[in-house]
Amino acid sequence: MRPFSCVPALILLLLTAGLARAQQSVMADTRQLDFKEFGLLAIQDNGRRKPIDTFARQTLIQLTGRSSFTDKAGRRWTPNDFLLSAVLETRDWKEEPMVLVSFGELKEQLGLEKTQRRFSFAQLSTAAALSQIASEAHERKRAEKPLDRLQQEALSVSDRLALFARVIEGSALLIVPSPQKETDPWAPPLPLAIASYYNESQSDGVAPPLQEMMAAYNEADSFKFSRSAHLLREKLRALPQNPICDWNISITISKHFIAPFGFTESRSSPC
């Protein structure tokens, strides 16, 4: 499947839900939203299906090194809250210092403040030295030559920037499954993308709950947000020859930190 340019189509879709007015006003406080139903949505990540809650948490950890993020204004963001805010561009995340760069030598090469650990996407994406070091590292990998620590760290930062860009543009939100096999590429919830897999009569139930969910997020309406996220999950699962199975997820807090960040997960599926 060809890649889709997600930003214009996603913005158009959300404008039809009345979000133009919401984005022009003061953003509602979304910290009290119940993200349980949203987190149960299935998403494809690197060819694997997982709950969007897991994807959001892994994304935030990869970008920042932490399972939650406190912005420069002092607000704490949970993974699901950050993911939706980034996709909907409710704030200028590109200017937020959140991308982890921990290796001192790399910071020195890029002319960054050595005592700082996180930098903005805008700052790092314009660092010519980073592109050069990463390009040299890719060439060495293709030649099956070993990489030094500087090159390894440059590749890690480049991967973080690429992930950040996919999240911001919406192309990482692959929640529409292929009608054939689970391992086939999934699509973002955009009309053009969905139309490549399903006809209008098959997919006409997806857009309304998606629009309502996004609008409810912007309005911080917890009831509508949970209801529409649940309905969206049901509509996606009802698509013809849909490989999505239900997720039965339980999160257990471990007193002994058995898993990173103090939790473990158990999942079962009827498939």
Side-chain angles (χ1 to χ4, degrees):
M1 185 178 68
R2 294 170 57 190
F4 297 95
S5 178
C6 298
V7 176
L10 186 56
I11 291 175
L12 178 61
L13 179 65
L14 299 179
L15 286 178
T16 63
L19 298 188
R21 295 191 305 274
Q23 291 182 335
Q24 290 170 358
S25 61
V26 177
M27 181 61 192
D29 189 347
T30 55
R31 284 175 286 187
Q32 301 306 314
L33 287 176
D34 183 355
F35 287 94
K36 179 180 178 180
E37 290 292 338
F38 173 76
L40 290 173
L41 285 166
I43 190 171
Q44 188 185 62
D45 178 35
N46 292 321
R48 300 181 62 183
R49 186 193 68 212
K50 61 183 63 172
I52 206 168
D53 177 78
T54 299
F55 170 76
R57 188 176 66 254
Q58 291 173 342
T59 295
L60 193 58
I61 290 173
Q62 182 174 345
L63 291 177
T64 71
R66 295 177 178 174
S67 58
S68 65
F69 175 71
T70 301
D71 64 23
K72 54 189 176 185
R75 171 172 170 172
R76 180 180 177 273
W77 293 83
T78 61
N80 288 319
D81 199 2
F82 160 72
L83 180 64
L84 274 175
S85 176
V87 169
L88 295 178
E89 297 184 279
T90 64
R91 60 177 297 139
D92 190 0
W93 284 104
K94 292 181 180 179
E95 296 293 339
E96 187 69 40
M98 64 181 302
V99 181
L100 180 65
V101 183
S102 58
F103 187 48
E105 184 180 346
L106 179 59
K107 287 188 278 189
E108 184 176 351
Q109 290 283 334
L110 302 183
L112 303 175
E113 173 59 50
K114 296 187 70 173
T115 59
Q116 188 175 333
R117 288 178 55 82
R118 294 172 184 82
F119 303 86
S120 71
F121 175 87
Q123 183 178 10
L124 294 174
S125 61
T126 58
L130 177 61
S131 298
Q132 180 180 350
I133 298 171
S135 178
E136 292 172 354
H138 280 299
E139 290 180 5
R140 291 187 65 85
K141 286 189 69 175
R142 284 192 292 269
E144 298 183 350
K145 295 181 179 179
L147 305 182
D148 60 28
R149 175 73 184 279
L150 177 66
Q151 293 165 334
Q152 292 172 1
E153 293 292 334
L155 286 182
S156 294
V157 174
S158 294
D159 288 344
R160 293 183 188 116
L161 294 179
L163 173 60
F164 189 98
R166 292 197 303 273
V167 169
I168 293 294
E169 70 181 14
S171 62
L173 203 67
L174 302 177
I175 64 173
V176 180
S178 164
Q180 302 300 324
K181 296 186 300 182
E182 177 186 327
T183 54
D184 286 347
W186 291 18
L190 307 174
L192 178 61
I194 297 174
S196 68
Y197 278 158
Y198 304 99
N199 61 42
E200 187 175 349
S201 64
Q202 293 172 325
S203 62
D204 60 2
V206 173
L210 172 67
Q211 293 168 352
E212 183 182 17
M213 183 185 75
M214 299 302 192
Y217 174 79
N218 275 274
E219 297 162 5
D221 187 322
S222 191
F223 174 75
K224 287 184 179 179
F225 181 72
S226 294
R227 179 185 65 186
S228 54
H230 176 79
L231 182 57
L232 175 61
R233 184 159 58 99
E234 292 299 312
K235 294 297 183 181
L236 288 170
R237 292 177 61 203
L239 290 172
Q241 297 181 313
N242 191 337
I244 294 180
C245 302
D246 195 13
W247 293 98
N248 177 17
I249 303 179
S250 62
I251 300 179
T252 304
I253 304 299
S254 169
K255 295 181 180 178
H256 303 289
F257 294 91
I258 297 174
F261 304 101
F263 55 77
T264 59
E265 290 184 337
S266 62
R267 300 187 180 92
S268 62
S269 170
C271 295

